[in-house]
Amino acid sequence: MKRTFIIFVILCALLPFTGWAEAFACEGEDPQALDSYFFQTPSTREADGTPTPGAVPADMAPAEPGQGEMASPMTPTTGTPSLTAIQPSLTVQRATPGAAPADMAPAEPGQGDIAASMISTGEERKVPTFDVPVVINPAVENHIEYFQTRGRKVFLKWLERSEMYLSMIKETLSAAGLPEDLAYIGLIESGYNPYARSRAKAVGIWQFIPGTAKKYGLRVNWWVDERRNPEKATLAAANYLKNLYGMFDSWYLAAAGYNAGEGKVSRAIKKYNTEDFWELASHKKSLKSETKNYIPKYMAAMLIAKDPQSYGFTEINYMEPLAFEKVTVPGPTDLKVIAWAAGTTVEDITMLNPELLRWFTPPDYPDYQINIPAGKKEIFEERMSRVPRQERLRFHQHKLRKGETLSQIARLYGTDIKQIMYLNDIKSTRGVRAGRMVVVPVRAKDGVDAHEVVKARYTPSPEETYTVREGDSLWLISRRFGIGLDRLRQLNDLGAAERLLMPGQTILLKEALLDKPENTKGLN
């Protein structure tokens, strides 16, 4: 008995040096006091709870919405992600230095503590589950706070829009064998806005840049931009993320590669000799701050989106999921014709098909599929069968005059010379002669000359016109306003012999740009 008492005294004396005393001392304390120790960046916490120099700061500034975009395209690999790393309940994974990477060995249920901010104080609710590992640390908590305060207004819009696309995105990811929670990468990339565009020219929900979009099968041209198609872009993003996981064998590093480009992440891994994202992020120059923030931002957005009420988002007016059917359009077709056949409006057609950049479906896309409102497929097919092929799309035809060039015609109609050449199968501008009829991608109007079409669709403002006075001539007007004489004649459809002007006559001064096609606001 005496020996046992001596051993007990020795253990008590050694207890402060083992680190257990700190754990016992926390028992019965405020959960937030416990969190203040454990929720530091896993790979940078020392035994005494003091962050090491160079660690990711707790007050790391979150990236502004819409800044994330993908960088250099990668060569597809054959790696397939493992779905064994699944957390069936909201547990917090706390890795320690030397342990397996946080996103490779998720904690088993009961090994971590539920974050204080996630404890339900009211009625019973379903605890969210995750199929990607979740780590909560100061950087994640800081992003949560940002979304709750300074970024609240924008994040609320993101949440409201999420229901329009989230179900489709998760289904696409699941069908590709990927965790459904990767859907929340789209939330921080664009707020699920198919029209989102970054300064780096990344576009759509998944913020593809042109090079990566092309590598993963998305068309980007004058007619369509499939980066703005939620379904096609999600499939491309799923393939990209699968390849990134095959390269890094880590969802955190795959997501970092999605943001920064796999090349930058690969070089950082090699330089700092670690495959742990959190340890990599602790090095000052390993990755840009945007990429270091990307995973905490993703974690925070996912946590809130899956349980918004617990984070103070109690009044969310979710938008309804899009309901539509796909129909095949055999050739380029005017959206007005499609809307009539579907018994809907052009506005509805453009809303359901954000990839369309023009007022008609693309001419270089065989068996193009377009979305129409749900329940309209039967009436669409019946009505379209009664529309003659030549009436589905009618471009205007312009008769070339002597001295006119295709570039001049393109400027006159506010279009692009490449598309005029494509529609007319013109290989070189040198062979184009006066008198040739040229198809221009502008809606045709029966019995009206090409220049009259421009005038009919363009209403100049007062400062863009000049009223002829006595003694005026075209030469004097051209000198007064700094417009070339030939250009002034062209704008006003005046021949070289027409030198006399009548007082009161209106002369156009600025280039007669076409109005944008009807019902395409925001698409050009």
Side-chain angles (χ1 to χ4, degrees), residues 63-77:
E64 290 300 318
Q67 284 188 346
E69 60 265 348
M70 293 186 299
S72 57
M74 68 175 290
T75 303
T77 64

Side-chain angles (χ1 to χ4, degrees), residues 196-387:
R197 185 181 183 89
S198 76
R199 287 170 293 181
K201 298 182 179 180
V203 171
I205 288 177
W206 293 96
Q207 290 291 281
F208 276 100
I209 60 174
T212 313
K214 184 178 179 181
K215 181 171 285 292
Y216 285 90
L218 298 177
R219 294 193 182 199
V220 181
N221 54 40
W222 196 77
W223 319 104
V224 295
D225 188 343
E226 292 185 336
R227 295 176 296 175
R228 303 197 324 187
N229 183 306
E231 292 178 293
K232 295 176 183 177
T234 297
L235 183 59
N239 290 331
Y240 189 30
L241 286 165
K242 180 179 288 188
N243 289 334
L244 286 166
Y245 186 90
M247 177 179 289
F248 298 119
D249 201 30
S250 158
W251 284 122
Y252 294 163
L253 294 176
Y258 191 93
N259 173 257
E262 59 278 7
K264 292 180 181 178
V265 175
S266 295
R267 288 190 293 271
I269 290 173
K270 185 176 180 180
K271 182 177 180 179
Y272 294 97
N273 194 31
T274 180
E275 295 181 350
D276 183 341
F277 170 80
W278 303 106
E279 183 179 343
L280 202 61
S282 70
H283 295 282
K284 188 174 182 180
K285 296 184 178 180
S286 59
L287 298 166
K288 289 185 177 180
S289 60
E290 179 188 322
T291 306
K292 291 180 180 180
N293 277 284
Y294 195 75
I295 305 305
K297 186 179 181 181
Y298 164 51
M299 293 283 108
M302 178 170 61
L303 286 167
I304 297 175
K306 287 200 146 193
D307 192 9
Q309 290 189 350
S310 292
Y311 291 96
F313 292 88
T314 56
E315 297 181 2
I316 305 174
N317 297 317
Y318 286 110
M319 298 180 184
E320 293 292 329
L322 293 179
F324 58 85
E325 293 178 286
K326 291 184 179 298
V327 293
T328 300
V329 180
T333 305
D334 193 320
L335 297 189
K336 285 185 175 180
V337 175
I338 292 173
W340 169 82
T344 186
T345 64
V346 174
E347 288 87 347
D348 283 344
I349 296 298
T350 55
M351 185 270 292
L352 290 173
N353 299 274
E355 71 181 64
L356 294 174
L357 303 181
R358 307 298 157 193
W359 50 272
F360 53 92
T361 57
D364 59 345
Y365 209 134
D367 297 324
Y368 181 77
Q369 286 193 319
I370 195 167
N371 300 327
I372 62 173
K376 299 288 186 177
K377 185 174 183 178
E378 187 175 345
I379 187 174
F380 173 85
E381 292 177 344
E382 190 277 324
R383 284 187 173 183
M384 281 298 291
S385 68
R386 294 190 276 118
V387 180

Side-chain angles (χ1 to χ4, degrees), residues 487-500:
R487 182 62 180 142
L488 201 57
R489 285 197 182 102
Q490 183 186 38
L491 286 174
N492 292 275
D493 198 19
L494 298 173
E498 298 178 73
R499 297 181 180 179
L500 296 178

Side-chain angles (χ1 to χ4, degrees), residues 29-32 35 39 90 113-123 125 127-128 136 307 309-311:
E29 296 282 332
D30 183 354
Q32 293 189 11
D35 294 341
F39 286 1
L90 183 60
D113 299 297
I114 297 178
S117 59
M118 295 295 295
I119 295 177
S120 176
T121 57
E123 59 187 31
R125 60 180 177 79
V127 177
I136 300 180
D307 192 9
Q309 290 189 350
S310 292
Y311 291 96

